[in-house]
Amino acid sequence: MGSLEEWLQETVTKTASEPGKPYTQDIGNWVEIRLFISSTFVDTQAERDVLVKRVIPSINRQLADRYIRVIPVDLRWGVLDEESKDCHAIQKTCLNQVDKCRLSLRQCPWFLGLRTSRYGWVQDETMPSSGFENPDLFRWIDEFAASGRNGVSITSLECIHAVQNPIELPVSPTMFFYERKIVEGKKDEEKIESNMRWIFDFEYKKPDEEIPEGSKFQYNKTEDAGKFANDLKNLNSYMQNVPHVIWNSFETGYTAGGARFTCKREGGKSYGVGYTSSLRAFQDCVEKDLMEAIEKNFKPVSTEINSFQMETVQHENAIRAKASTFVGRSAQVEKCYGFCNNEVGDGNVLILHGEPGCGKSGLLAAVTDKLCRNLRDQENFVFVHVVDSCPGSNILAKMLKRLQWSLRDWRRKNGEINISSDPPESAADLRSLHHQFMTETAEKYPDEVFVIVVDAVNQFHGRMKAWDMWWLPRKGSPPNLKFFISTLNQENGTFVNAREACPDALLSPILQMSREDLQGMITAALARFNKKLTTFDDPLLGNQMDLLLSKSSSPLFLIAACEALRKFGIFEKVSEYIEKLPTSITALFSFLLEEWAVEYGQNFVEDVTGLICLAKDGLLENQINDLLNFKEERMKGDQEFLYESSFSRIYDSLANFLAAGGGGYLRFFHDQLKYTVQDKFLTEKFALETHQWLFDFFLACTESQLCEEPEEDPPAYYEHVLQQIFYHQLEGKKLDMLGSTLRNIYFVRERVLYGQTQSLMDEYEVAIKWCSKDAQHADMAAALTQWMKFSQMYAPKIEESPQFCQNMAINQYPDSWVRQDTTLLGEVPPQVGYPLIWDNIPPGGDAMVCKYGVGGFDAAVSHPSHDVVVIATGKQAVILDQTSGELQHRLDSQSFSVALSPDCEKVYSGEKSGVSVFDRSTGSLIATSNVQLKDVVVWVQHIGDYIAAGAGHARKTICWNDYETEGEIALFRRESGEILPLERKWSVKSPCFDYCYLNPRQLIFSAGKGGDIFGFDLQGSEVMRFENAGECVYTVAPHPTEPTILSGSNDHVIREWNVDSQTMVRSITDTTTSGWFYGGNWSVSYDPTGDFVLSTEPQSQSLRLYSFVGTLIVELKGHADCINKIRVVPGSQQAVTTDRGGTTLLFNIPDPLVDTGIRKSKQIEEKVLSSQFSKDGKYIFTVSATTIRKWSVDGFDLKNAREYDGFYRSKGFASEDEEWFFVSERMSVGKYSFKNLSIIGHLQVLQDPDGSLSSFAVTEDGNKLLGVECKNMKSEESEAVVFDIADFTNSSQIITYKNYGGRMFGCDIHPDGSRAAITGHRGTHVIDIATGQLLHSIPRGCFGAKFMKLSNRILYQDGETAYIWDLEKSEDVRKLSGHVDEVTGALLVRDETQVYTCSQDGTIKLFQIDEEECVYTFYNHRAQQYTGLSVSPCGEKVAAGNKNGLFYLLKT
């Protein structure tokens, strides 16, 4: 008998192989490469760990965008008595698993062998080829046995089976072998301990060989030891020369303790495991080899396709896969096909329904596959969506977006090139356009059929009210628009809701399969495993097919029975085995679980099925492997093992019952198996422990990322991990660890960056409700509420600047949980110039609860339990989630006023001349009024059986003096139908701007021009009138329970009127900062208690809370534009304010009777227009429109203050010698003492009253002053003037620059006093300050320009960007971009290497000039539009004024 190597060369590699081609990957389908890891077990623990925990995760991260995933098949058996193993059983398991690692049976497997000194468990006999699943691949084993070559290790058999010549060679080898050499060091701790050397040695010894006394039981003595050694050597030699094998050698080290006993016995064989060290070279080599092989064997998908096309491919591949195994029910298939093809039945919807396991998905797939093949050839439209077939497929919004894209793409291909290919982005836009666009498309192409197929609608996520089935076609849809859906009869109510939404839908219950079809299904299922049942009365076996069919006619039962039968190995006892099978599907699944427990281990089966059952959205196979390993390491340590099996083995048994939905995330496809697992294994204690296990694992996956700058890459399935953590935290009752999740700024950052903001908000709501149930968790509920608010308001900025999220959290008010929780995580190392910390932050809490990114004329707000805000913008009405701010619907309504029905199911929208009613949950139009009113409906309200509407001037506060149209009130009856019938209407004797309804007296009041308030009953009769309420009454508001109303007018007086006595009860003079002609109280309201007054006026842009004696209690800031309306939130201590600039805010209203600790902050309670630090940094000057102030920087204490005649463009400027402080007024500049702000004098800079002084500058020596003008009506005549102010009281004009040609807004004088820069609408001009000669013209500019001292350059602003212009080169040399709105200030710092900028976008940024890089962004949710910047001389403090009325003193 020749050597093993010779036999292998003559037998295993004698057949020639065809040349291979790169594997063509189906676009959008995940390819799973199952990599079989072969080695002796006890001595390769470290190498296997490197492969499973490092190499494969790294490769999966790199290949994720190519839809390729490597799954290790790592058959670790645990520590058992190897001699007791059944040779046939282990050969069948291991070698069948090798075949499952082939992408095709024609190809080599993906196989990785670790070759060491050990030989492995010797097989006394080999199983014949007929015992394996693919006998044709095992002909060699029959020849092997025939040659008398029994007695070879299982490891060798794995290698021989893998390397045999395939029918088709790979492009690049897919089999990799790595031969190890352990290099021991000279130090004792680098040498293998003498009593543990057996772990790494060749384990067979000849009978006469000496063995050290301490290891005498650890070696196997046999006469065949020499043969085994030669076989090991010959096999290695053979494999090194196989062309389709990659062979490498590697060296490792050893560290003391790497080998250890796992089961030590005195006087007998012990067991242990060994770990080598220094494996980095091995790791790099394997990763390189695998990546190269994958790159060469998988042809890159060359077709450029977008995400919608990719998803479409995955859905249609899923349909084809299901259709390929479908049999029978031909009549039902044809009927469904005929309906979709517009040949059978009326209506737009076909509902395929039935119980779990009845075959719905298979039948739908068969019909859909036929539709795709036939209808598309005739240029019809077929859209396919299979819930759970790819990531995100269970989210209705994603389906609707892809449907929108598909319809648009189809229409563009049919010649409509002007139609946008981009679908709506928001869920609200998808809702509003869904029916409209489908209907429009079907009507435009009446000769084509439009078929939308959706499988398993009951498995949609409940968000966006998917289960309500509102997205099905409405009544009256075009007949060529067809929806074909499948659903369970009970789950999530989708079947019932679909019938209600579409009463004319055709119902198609799944019919019972015929006996012939059932028999065909069984035959096909068993044939895949080379098994079959008798179909006649066999004398010995009987009719096995009849016997099985007598058990049940459920397709699911029969498939499950086939799974049991394929594992049963004794043919003669099959009939007896079938006889023992239960007759119900639940009992059969229980039977299978018991069999699996025997085969794979009870604990293992419980853990695996428990994980799959309790997982939120399924688990990847790699995740399950990692979870099992995670538990094993925690419970047994790094070098011991908990399980006797691996998921790779049990997967073979589970596969038929798993759905790989969402990109391979495994879950039980049939609920019956899930319920059986729950009943059999999931005790309350076990379920809790499993949820805790999942939470701990998922949290561990995130730990390396929850820091300022993660140094490690996350796992490939990291996005999925983030979505699972809180669910298992809640279910596992581990809310004590919320500091690691919902109360961790880095966790919030990760959720935002992975597009999970709304899911995060949902989790906060759930957690808050849970904590609110128990008084012991009151602090936790309060903390979570603050974190939810923070996350809602900061998510957009975190997404934009994630690196500064910690800084955003730290800059919350001092007592906030967000700040405290984030402080516990440690400080971020400071950099030059950043981060900035808000030094004078107001204490005592932040009243702003939520910021909505839309403003308007009016708002309606529900009780918090309904969680709704509706905003009328003048162009549309939008419905938002009150808590999270998520956009729900955009209503197709030119809305100026809004109201909600008492049950919040309807939205009333006041439009240009009428009222419309919308369904709140769907956004669909229900009814419209049938009578036009005289003007815009500025007020609408539900009153009993009526919808009341008041017409008036929408822009009441602008040009009201020219408005003369009389107001009008109408009552419409609330009846079913598409028309709101008019009950009555009547005119008001004056132009109106607002109305209110006083419920206690059932009266309607109007506010309007002329100063009178009219009161009407519901019959339209004027019953009272309040006179002298101001020249123009802007607003009226009712008391919630008392017979009183409030009014607000242009005279800044809030008046309360008693309806019963028809007298004014009291008045409050509202403080304001301007005598603007159209100023005054635009909106007033009682607070939620009715005991205090809320008001707003346009200059402060704040919400003010007054007592009835006129005391200003608190001023709530956050708006940057004029507030149009205040609306109190029913049943809460909150109010919503909406402004004309695009913002609506939800505030907590302090209750002065409770919140006695309302604290005043060291803040400036007005808008700071400019500021400047003193040279020593001890003081800072601030300038508002009315007051100049001098503050100490430390402690922010006020030192001096002086009122002056300023205006909204006033600026302050200190002389270089700090003797004087200059402040601009509308047309002049005042000079004040730097020390105490005493007035020195005024300089009249401008003469024309059409102009105003927009900016000024003073030379460093204080002798010259430059002023620039912004003219209103004569903008092109705006001038710049230069004065000699050496003797301020006798100043003289030097030059007038008239050649700019537009409004100017900024200026600067060069440090040497020779040149001036002027900037505005016409760009930036540089002039000679003595002659007025134009020296340079820069085409851009607007609000600011600043000469650079250290170079001949100038820093200026234009729009959203700051630029640096080189005056010698006459070109921009730096561009500093990153803001998204107008830059309003820019300052050079740190020897002109950095620039601080501020903007109307509410951010302050720091740029590195040379790198043109934004290195830092400061953002605070209360900040709106910044008005200007100043920096202390040392650069350690930054000051900024803001239109929200807060002043930001920031320190580095």
Side-chain angles (χ1 to χ4, degrees), residues 249-304:
S249 299
F250 69 101
E251 294 182 349
T252 71
Y254 181 79
T255 302
R260 55 168 293 184
F261 288 105
T262 56
C263 178
K264 190 170 184 179
R265 297 171 180 167
E266 296 297 331
K269 185 174 183 178
S270 299
Y271 296 93
V273 290
Y275 285 75
T276 55
S277 61
S278 304
L279 289 166
R280 185 53 193 254
F282 167 73
Q283 176 182 332
D284 293 344
C285 179
V286 175
E287 184 168 337
K288 175 177 173 291
D289 289 345
L290 283 171
M291 282 299 294
E292 285 184 359
I294 293 169
E295 291 286 349
K296 291 177 180 178
N297 282 291
F298 290 86
K299 188 176 182 180
V301 179
S302 58
T303 307
E304 289 287 333

Side-chain angles (χ1 to χ4, degrees), residues 1300 1303 1305-1306 1318-1325 1337-1346 1354-1365 1372 1374-1386 1395 1397-1401 1407:
Y1300 184 77
R1303 293 174 180 145
F1305 300 105
I1318 300 162
T1319 188
H1321 284 166
R1322 301 294 184 184
T1324 304
H1325 289 190
S1337 178
I1338 303 171
R1340 286 189 293 263
C1342 195
F1343 287 116
K1346 185 73 176 176
I1354 191 167
L1355 169 69
Y1356 70 96
Q1357 303 133 234
D1358 182 80
E1360 303 166 357
T1361 308
Y1363 297 87
I1364 293 179
W1365 181 274
D1372 286 320
R1374 297 289 185 272
K1375 179 180 179 181
L1376 310 177
S1377 58
H1379 287 291
V1380 295
D1381 206 338
E1382 196 85 35
V1383 176
T1384 54
V1395 172
T1397 60
C1398 66
S1399 167
Q1400 291 184 7
D1401 65 8
F1407 291 90

Side-chain angles (χ1 to χ4, degrees), residues 297-484:
N297 282 291
F298 290 86
K299 188 176 182 180
V301 179
S302 58
T303 307
E304 289 287 333
I305 63 172
N306 61 32
S307 60
F308 299 118
Q309 291 168 309
M310 183 70 78
E311 290 174 22
T312 296
V313 169
Q314 293 178 76
H315 286 283
E316 295 190 2
N317 284 343
I319 284 293
R320 281 193 289 272
K322 291 180 180 181
S324 66
T325 58
F326 179 80
V327 295
R329 293 180 172 138
S330 56
Q332 192 169 11
V333 168
E334 289 305 315
K335 183 177 180 181
C336 293
Y337 177 82
F339 176 88
C340 295
N341 196 22
N342 220 8
E343 296 173 349
V344 177
D346 298 323
N348 300 100
V349 178
L350 170 61
I351 305 174
L352 190 66
H353 63 100
E355 296 303 317
C358 64
K360 297 180 304 302
S361 292
L363 193 148
L364 180 139
V367 175
T368 306
D369 186 51
K370 187 174 181 180
L371 290 169
C372 290
R373 286 185 282 107
N374 296 349
L375 292 192
R376 283 183 180 161
D377 289 343
Q378 303 165 27
E379 299 185 355
N380 295 289
F381 176 86
V382 181
F383 175 87
V384 180
H385 190 90
V386 181
V387 179
D388 266 345
S389 65
C390 61
S393 59
N394 64 344
I395 299 172
L396 178 63
K398 290 199 70 171
M399 186 199 85
L400 296 182
K401 187 179 290 188
R402 186 168 65 88
L403 175 57
Q404 278 278 328
W405 178 87
S406 301
L407 286 167
R408 292 165 186 270
D409 182 61
W410 187 90
R411 288 175 63 169
R412 285 172 64 86
K413 289 176 179 176
N414 278 272
E416 294 187 65
I417 59 174
N418 292 326
I419 195 169
S420 172
S421 62
D422 298 326
E425 283 296 325
S426 72
D429 289 339
L430 285 168
R431 283 190 187 98
S432 63
L433 283 176
H434 171 62
H435 291 104
Q436 173 192 330
F437 197 76
M438 281 196 312
T439 301
E440 172 193 307
T441 302
E443 288 177 343
K444 190 176 181 69
Y445 298 90
D447 295 332
E448 275 72 49
V449 180
F450 294 84
V451 184
I452 291 92
V453 181
V454 189
D455 183 32
V457 298
N458 51 283
Q459 291 173 197
F460 271 126
H461 190 283
R463 189 179 298 156
M464 207 177 170
K465 298 188 180 298
W467 301 334
D468 289 356
M469 309 306 288
W470 61 267
W471 43 272
L472 292 175
R474 293 172 177 166
K475 184 178 180 181
S477 293
N480 58 330
L481 176 62
K482 301 291 186 180
F483 266 67
F484 178 27

Side-chain angles (χ1 to χ4, degrees), residues 43-63:
D43 62 330
T44 57
Q45 295 300 307
E47 288 82 358
R48 284 177 176 260
D49 283 349
V50 164
L51 294 173
V52 173
K53 298 179 182 179
R54 297 182 185 176
V55 174
I56 291 174
S58 174
I59 288 173
N60 285 339
R61 279 193 296 271
Q62 296 175 65
L63 295 175

Side-chain angles (χ1 to χ4, degrees), residues 197-265:
R197 190 168 292 277
W198 59 271
I199 286 180
F200 300 103
D201 277 354
F202 182 71
E203 65 269 46
Y204 296 95
K205 298 285 187 181
K206 292 182 178 179
D208 57 352
E209 279 189 77
E210 292 188 9
I211 301 174
E213 182 63 27
S215 303
K216 66 179 181 179
F217 297 111
Q218 302 309 115
Y219 294 88
N220 299 307
K221 289 197 171 186
T222 173
E223 294 290 350
D224 291 329
K227 169 185 173 300
F228 296 158
N230 284 331
D231 281 354
L232 177 62
K233 177 181 176 182
N234 286 328
L235 181 58
N236 286 347
S237 175
Y238 164 73
M239 291 191 298
Q240 289 182 57
N241 295 304
V242 173
H244 50 275
V245 162
I246 289 179
W247 183 280
N248 279 301
S249 299
F250 69 101
E251 294 182 349
T252 71
Y254 181 79
T255 302
R260 55 168 293 184
F261 288 105
T262 56
C263 178
K264 190 170 184 179
R265 297 171 180 167

